[in-house]
Amino acid sequence: MSKRFAASGPAAVDGVSVEIERGEFFVLLGPSGCGKTTLLRMLAGLEAPDRGRIVIDGADMAGVPPYRRPVNIMFQSYALFPHMNVARNVSFGLRQERLGREEVAGRVAAMLELVKMTDFAERPPGSLSGGERQRVALARALVKEPKLLLLDEPLTALDRKLREETRFELKRIHRRVGITFVMVTHDQEEAMSMATRIAVMRDGRIEQMGAPEAVYERPANRFVAGFLGAVNLFEGKVADVGDGWLWVETDVGRLAVTHAPLALGTDVALAVRPEKVRLATIPTQSSLNSLPGILRTIAYRGEASSFEIELASGRLVRATLPNLGDGIGFAPGSQIWLAFEPDAARVLQS
Amino acid sequence: MTNRLSPFLIAMMALGFVFLYAPIVSVVVYSFNASRLVTVWAGFSLRWYGALFENEAIGRAALVSLEVALIAATGALVLGTLVAYALARFRRFTGRTLFAAMATAPLVMPDVIAGLSLLLLFVALEQATGWPQGRGILTIAIAHITLGIAFVAVVVEARLSSFDRSLEEAALDLGATPAKVFFVITLPLIAPALAAGWLLALTLSLDDLVIASFTAGPASTTLPMVVYSSVRLGVSPQINALATLILIAVTVLVASASRLLRAKNT
């Protein structure tokens, strides 16, 4: 399946072009108002692109109304019909196709089984919890076996614990049904844990597209680096090239990073993830990038702890260490050295 | 802080209720009076109800009122729903503010002015086009439709504004054509508001005296008009009995309308 896209409007979606493989779990990630939902609605046919086209499985979708597209959408509000029970909600799409009564009943039962809602078939949506509604909405969208399933912030309405369980559940269902999923979310953790590929969007444009690891480890620019997880940015200029390292002069001193083909004097930013920063109470001789500082704040988070270190220049650097059960050994206000490997820093030019 | 009401508050409330409802209560009580005199109590009796049902003039007027009210409520329902749809679904169009103000103006328009202007319109129309021929049930109903539209529009628009559009989009997405979406999703979900609007328009039409007086013809006397004219000739306890029945009918209609509006639909 291929989908080519180059749509519309100076504001909402601006010259986006994406090709999605059959069976992918594709996630559109971005802050609110970046155009990701508009893009999704155009795929569903609820919005028409001003320019460009949508091709699904070789068929051009131009002028095809939503009720004739092989696409189903699951809304953020779930949009369950309040005047129909769960089974009627799920069977709604099949009843529009004039299928036999028995086939409809069979497919609805199988779908309720898949989302573990068989016991709720006769209940009205109003009596269901948020998680139950979410599963009914999913079943209703999946039962027509669309070529493309669109999910608009499917987990946002759920509370935190349920959200995390549901991520695995959605991935399991995605594997089982083999349908192409396109999901919209503003939650970077959700995007990374579920997607086979992520497109990070801003102001109607795709900033970067790739596998979760690639986008997280090798962000293309400052926006992507900052939007996907926490990051320490050191602004500076390329000062020297040698010994296989690229030396960058920053406001905290000269830092070494893995060699990149850049001219001397180029303005760059070094992005260092907090989990790649190491901490020690004595200076580390072995590391090229070792900076002294004062430990200011410790935020205990259970599986890990976050630290804020104030460097001599006054700027704050964040570090994250896993809790290995041996105590942290650092106290706020104490002298500390932080270090990171040259290959832990990503050199950004934009 | 306590939730207890002070004696002053209770007294004020009681006074308020007496002021509002004492006249109505007295009308109801005296409808069961055996005496011909409205002001003298002579024991319980249902004779005036009996007399009422034998009164042909009142019976005819009741039928006229009912016919007018049914036409007016149904007409107002259709037109008012269209107005509400335009206001709720098309958030921006040229003249929207003017349209909204004009559609709801009859809510605050003095009846005398509405009645007079409609009468002048009907007369002018008849001279220009020959239609409507004279005044009668049709002209009263048209007048009541203009009044009812405003009420239906307000009630239905409130419902449509709180309506989750993604319900319609979901149905569309699942393969239902736009017409089918309207009948299978939209209509059932706004039906309570439609019914409530219809009942309100019906009640308004049954109650109206002023506009009906302006737009009525010789053969189309409505119930409020009969009541008004017979009271001017002297009050008969029959009118008390009639008032009691109207009161009951209106209470039932308004109560069911507000019940329909309150009914949760999620």
Side-chain angles (χ1 to χ4, degrees):
Chain A
M1 180 183 72
S2 76
K3 189 170 10 277
R4 273 176 217 91
F5 212 89
S8 79
V13 174
D14 190 5
V16 168
S17 182
V18 182
E19 205 159 314
I20 299 170
E21 297 293 319
R22 191 188 301 273
E24 256 195 287
F25 197 133
F26 191 85
V27 173
L28 292 163
L29 173 68
S32 56
C34 71
K36 55 194 193 303
T37 298
T38 309
L39 195 57
L40 201 73
R41 291 172 60 84
M42 286 195 279
L43 289 176
L46 298 170
E47 222 77 65
D50 298 339
R51 273 184 293 118
R53 13 182 243 135
I54 300 165
V55 179
I56 297 173
D57 218 2
D60 193 335
M61 288 293 121
V64 179
Y67 47 93
R68 297 232 175 77
R69 293 196 182 195
V71 174
N72 285 120
I73 184 166
M74 182 181 149
F75 287 90
Q76 184 173 4
S77 64
Y78 306 144
L80 297 178
F81 307 131
H83 55 307
M84 300 179 192
N85 67 22
V86 167
R88 301 274 301 164
N89 260 284
V90 175
S91 66
F92 186 88
L94 297 176
R95 280 185 275 132
Q96 310 307 318
E97 289 179 8
R98 301 182 197 288
L99 297 174
R101 192 177 289 263
E102 271 164 37
E103 187 185 350
V104 170
R107 280 169 70 175
V108 168
M111 198 44 71
L112 287 176
E113 179 84 42
L114 180 72
V115 298
K116 298 172 185 158
M117 289 295 289
T118 306
D119 297 340
F120 295 83
E122 302 302 319
R123 297 261 296 268
S127 70
L128 303 180
S129 72
E132 288 158 0
R133 286 181 205 203
Q134 192 258 2
R135 283 185 279 164
V136 175
L138 182 64
R140 189 180 68 178
L142 274 175
V143 77
K144 291 193 77 171
E145 294 170 9
K147 286 177 177 160
L148 189 59
L149 179 76
L150 308 173
L151 304 121
D152 187 4
E153 305 261 7
L155 308 180
T156 308
L158 305 178
D159 58 52
R160 192 182 160 79
K161 192 163 160 46
L162 194 58
R163 205 153 59 211
E164 282 174 14
E165 288 168 16
T166 311
R167 278 184 207 160
F168 290 104
E169 188 70 13
L170 263 179
K171 282 189 89 158
R172 177 183 73 87
I173 290 171
H174 174 246
R175 269 198 309 276
R176 277 278 295 278
V177 297
I179 289 170
T180 312
F181 281 31
V182 175
M183 181 173 97
V184 153
T185 182
H186 64 269
D187 183 328
Q188 44 100 6
E189 212 181 308
E190 198 171 295
M192 286 196 287
S193 61
M194 297 172 74
T196 55
R197 259 195 322 153
I198 295 178
V200 183
M201 288 188 72
R202 178 173 62 162
D203 298 337
R205 293 170 181 278
I206 291 182
E207 295 281 327
Q208 190 176 3
M209 189 155 54
E213 304 82 25
V215 179
Y216 183 79
E217 299 289 345
R218 294 185 296 283
N221 55 40
R222 289 177 178 86
F223 173 77
V224 176
F227 194 75
L228 255 81
V231 73
N232 296 300
L233 283 177
F234 302 99
E235 306 281 346
K237 278 186 194 313
V238 176
D240 196 6
V241 185
D243 308 337
W245 310 127
L246 192 72
W247 292 90
V248 178
E249 194 67 46
T250 70
D251 56 341
V252 299
R254 192 170 271 220
L255 300 173
V257 297
T258 309
H259 183 79
L262 290 173
L264 292 182
T266 313
D267 283 314
V268 293
L270 304 184
V272 184
R273 296 282 183 199
E275 69 271 18
K276 301 207 167 141
V277 176
R278 286 180 286 113
L279 298 177
T281 48
I282 51 165
T284 36
Q285 301 298 332
S286 60
S287 184
L288 289 166
N289 303 316
S290 182
L291 301 165
I294 308 288
L295 181 55
R296 286 295 175 211
T297 333
I298 302 177
Y300 178 72
R301 298 206 321 246
E303 82 267 21
S305 290
S306 293
F307 303 87
E308 243 175 14
I309 300 108
E310 189 180 334
L311 300 181
S313 64
R315 74 160 289 172
L316 294 169
V317 174
R318 288 179 64 184
T320 304
L321 295 185
N323 284 331
L324 302 173
D326 50 0
I328 297 161
F330 305 118
S334 61
Q335 175 76 36
I336 205 165
W337 274 265
L338 60 87
F340 61 88
E341 294 304 318
D343 61 3
R346 168 87 179 156
V347 183
L348 303 175
Q349 283 184 274
S350 56
Chain B
M1 246 183 74
T2 64
N3 277 328
R4 286 188 43 199
L5 295 167
S6 71
F8 175 74
L9 279 178
I10 293 173
M12 289 312 286
M13 196 172 70
L15 263 176
F17 277 126
V18 167
F19 179 74
L20 283 174
Y21 293 109
I24 295 175
V25 170
S26 83
V27 164
V28 173
V29 168
Y30 278 101
S31 74
F32 297 107
N33 193 354
S35 163
R36 165 166 291 281
L37 293 165
V38 185
T39 46
V40 180
W41 182 256
F44 180 85
S45 159
L46 287 175
R47 64 181 275 210
W48 302 116
Y49 286 88
L52 181 66
F53 285 112
E54 280 161 22
N55 186 328
E56 264 180 47
I58 286 182
R60 233 181 296 123
L63 284 179
V64 168
S65 266
L66 210 59
E67 192 179 338
V68 167
L70 286 174
I71 299 172
T74 309
L77 177 69
V78 174
L79 293 173
T81 303
L82 293 176
V83 170
Y85 217 82
L87 289 177
R89 287 300 161 81
F90 304 101
R91 282 284 158 205
R92 250 180 280 162
F93 59 85
T94 316
R96 183 182 187 277
T97 315
L98 183 69
F99 180 65
M102 302 258 287
T104 49
L107 291 176
V108 290
M109 179 97 74
D111 284 356
V112 176
I113 295 178
L116 182 63
S117 56
L118 281 162
L119 173 64
L120 295 176
L121 173 76
F122 289 137
V123 171
L125 257 183
E126 189 182 5
Q127 280 170 354
T129 67
W131 183 92
Q133 281 187 327
R135 256 76 56 209
I137 288 176
L138 181 68
T139 50
I140 307 176
I142 291 175
H144 284 174
I145 286 174
T146 61
L147 189 66
I149 286 175
F151 285 84
V152 173
V154 166
V155 169
V156 176
E157 199 222 327
R159 184 68 176 206
L160 279 172
S161 298
S162 64
F163 190 94
D164 182 3
R165 287 297 296 279
S166 56
L167 289 174
E168 290 171 328
E169 290 178 344
L172 213 55
D173 179 69
L174 289 166
T177 57
K180 181 138 195 213
V181 171
F182 179 77
F183 286 109
V184 179
I185 305 295
T186 316
L187 208 53
L189 291 178
I190 64 167
L194 296 184
W198 187 81
L199 287 174
L200 278 180
L202 194 76
T203 311
L204 278 170
S205 171
L206 284 175
D207 277 354
D208 174 68
L209 168 66
V210 178
I211 296 177
S213 304
F214 274 104
T215 51
S220 58
T221 312
T222 66
L223 206 48
M225 287 160 72
V226 168
V227 173
Y228 183 68
S229 55
S230 61
V231 166
R232 285 204 307 186
L233 298 175
V235 187
S236 154
Q238 269 187 56
I239 298 303
N240 284 35
L242 178 63
T244 305
L245 291 180
I246 293 178
L247 205 62
I248 292 170
V250 168
T251 307
V252 167
L253 288 177
V254 173
S256 24
S258 62
R259 236 188 107 93
L260 283 168
L261 280 181
R262 261 204 320 266
K264 274 197 170 171
N265 217 323
T266 42

